[in-house]
Amino acid sequence: MIKTRVTEMLGIEHPIIQGGMMAVGLAELAAAVSNAGGLGILTALTQPTPEDLRREIARCREMTDNPFGVNLTLLPTINPVPYDEYVQVIIDEGITVVETAGRSPEQYMEAFNNAGVKVIHKCTSVRHALKAEAIGCAAASVDGFECAGHPGEDDVPNLVLLPCAVSRLRIPVIASGGIGDGRGLAAALALGAEGVNMGTRFVATREAPVHHNVKQMMVESSELDTALIFRTLRNTARIYKNSIAKEVLSIEGKPGDTDFSELQPLVAGARGRERVLEQGDTDDGVWTAGLVMGLIDDIPSCAELVSRIVAEAEDIIENRLQSMLQRA
Ligand SMILES: Cc1cc2nc3c(=O)[nH]c(=O)nc-3n(C[C@H](O)[C@H](O)[C@H](O)COP(=O)(O)O)c2cc1C
């Protein structure tokens, strides 16, 4: 058993969290991760309305008795999101852990803290992690440059970002980005993290509610198969490098400012969700994936994955590292 302040704080068996994932973070996956002893997370904005989130929380409760969280991604959107109402549903439904990402969750901290909801803010820089601590977050998840989704614009990978954050923060730090096996967990703990947050690795599991082709493509892909789009818009996103991603990059590579209206039909979330994640055409829309694809060789259940990661990390700590110590 690996015990840390994160396992204690969240009331979970293993220090493994499944990060919020648009279109993937549904009850099936979150409950499977929580049943495996980690922390599953529902993605609030995958639910079209706050009332749908309420129903999804109820559905997840039917599938697990263990704690699970909700991700609230605070990013600018084309259609305004009724964030206050999502926050109220989270509180009303007795959710005890929220993962926020994107903008600072400052304006919701009072409501969350008054309701006893622990906020884990996921961010990509030490300065944002310090801000999260200052506004009362219970932990900071640090997303290194390896991560799927939005790595920020600083491009600092976790081998440096994580210990930099750990040195400066008092609240527990969770390592996010690039972790997919027990080696990653052991390394993150060695660097000072008290838990890991994984996205990409959990997509290639039996319970992830996405088409099998997507999972299989991740098995067949390597660490070289992602692309960084939206760099020209300073809203970088790491996605799977398919022909749509390449088309986006070539539009962004044209001289002058990028015209988002040219990109929109290619990158529309609904297109990625329907054509890739639901219908399984992995080349016909954008989908988020991280460098850790290079470490994905199978499609296990969440229970198999979580127990394998923990066993491998324990073995590394107990045997491999111990055996390297020279005693006088
Ligand atoms: C398919 C997919 C969708 C994601 N959607 C979101 C999201 O909506 N909100 C968010 O905060 N993070 C999102 N992420 C990022 C993850 O929560 C996590 O921070 C990231 O995947 C960690 O890097 P890793 O993929 O290397 O494990 C997404 C990741 C994936 C793979």
Side-chain angles (χ1 to χ4, degrees), residues 18-24 43 45-46 71-75 99-102 122 141 143-144 146-150 176-180 197-203 210 218 238 277 287-293:
Q18 166 248 314
M21 287 186 276
M22 197 63 186
V24 182
T43 307
L45 302 190
T46 296
N71 164 284
L72 192 64
T73 304
L74 303 160
L75 288 173
E99 178 198 58
T100 54
K122 189 169 60 188
S141 229
D143 240 342
E146 305 90 335
C147 74
H150 291 279
S176 181
I179 294 151
N197 181 62
M198 307 193 307
T200 303
R201 178 62 266 203
F202 276 120
V203 180
V210 305
M218 295 173 78
R238 190 184 291 285
L277 300 181
W287 52 286
T288 310
L291 300 184
V292 77
M293 279 193 298

Side-chain angles (χ1 to χ4, degrees), residues 93-272:
E93 293 305 311
I95 292 293
T96 53
V97 193
V98 165
E99 178 198 58
T100 54
R103 236 179 336 105
S104 164
E106 192 163 3
Q107 73 186 105
Y108 307 112
M109 288 307 295
E110 196 182 331
F112 281 139
N113 282 338
N114 287 344
V117 180
K118 297 188 177 70
V119 178
I120 301 173
H121 185 56
K122 189 169 60 188
C123 48
T124 59
S125 69
V126 176
R127 63 188 185 283
H128 290 144
L130 284 167
K131 168 86 189 208
E133 179 174 87
I135 62 170
C137 291
S141 229
V142 175
D143 240 342
F145 187 49
E146 305 90 335
C147 74
H150 291 279
E153 309 304 320
D154 295 340
D155 303 356
V156 185
N158 259 338
L159 207 56
V160 171
L161 182 61
L162 195 55
C164 281
V166 169
S167 299
R168 302 278 304 277
L169 273 84
R170 290 183 309 274
I171 55 174
V173 176
I174 296 159
S176 181
I179 294 151
D181 59 23
R183 294 173 295 182
L185 172 56
L189 296 173
L191 291 169
E194 300 191 47
V196 295
N197 181 62
M198 307 193 307
T200 303
R201 178 62 266 203
F202 276 120
V203 180
T205 59
R206 288 220 286 275
E207 294 91 345
V210 305
H211 197 284
H212 179 75
N213 292 356
V214 175
K215 304 178 189 182
Q216 189 55 34
M217 197 54 118
M218 295 173 78
V219 170
E220 287 163 23
S221 300
S222 83
E223 66 280 15
L224 303 177
D225 290 318
T226 73
L228 292 169
I229 63 165
F230 299 164
R231 288 241 100 162
T232 57
L233 304 169
R234 290 194 61 74
N235 184 25
T236 300
R238 190 184 291 285
I239 62 168
Y240 187 77
K241 197 203 282 176
N242 59 11
S243 41
I244 302 279
K246 289 176 193 161
E247 219 177 314
V248 171
L249 290 179
S250 87
I251 295 170
E252 286 195 82
K254 288 197 233 163
D257 290 345
T258 302
D259 176 3
F260 187 72
S261 65
E262 247 191 287
L263 301 180
Q264 197 167 5
L266 299 170
V267 300
R271 175 174 177 168

Side-chain angles (χ1 to χ4, degrees), residues 23 209-212 214 270 272-281:
V210 305
H211 197 284
H212 179 75
V214 175
R273 198 163 54 241
E274 281 156 32
R275 301 201 196 159
V276 179
L277 300 181
E278 289 170 17
Q279 293 160 19
D281 184 346

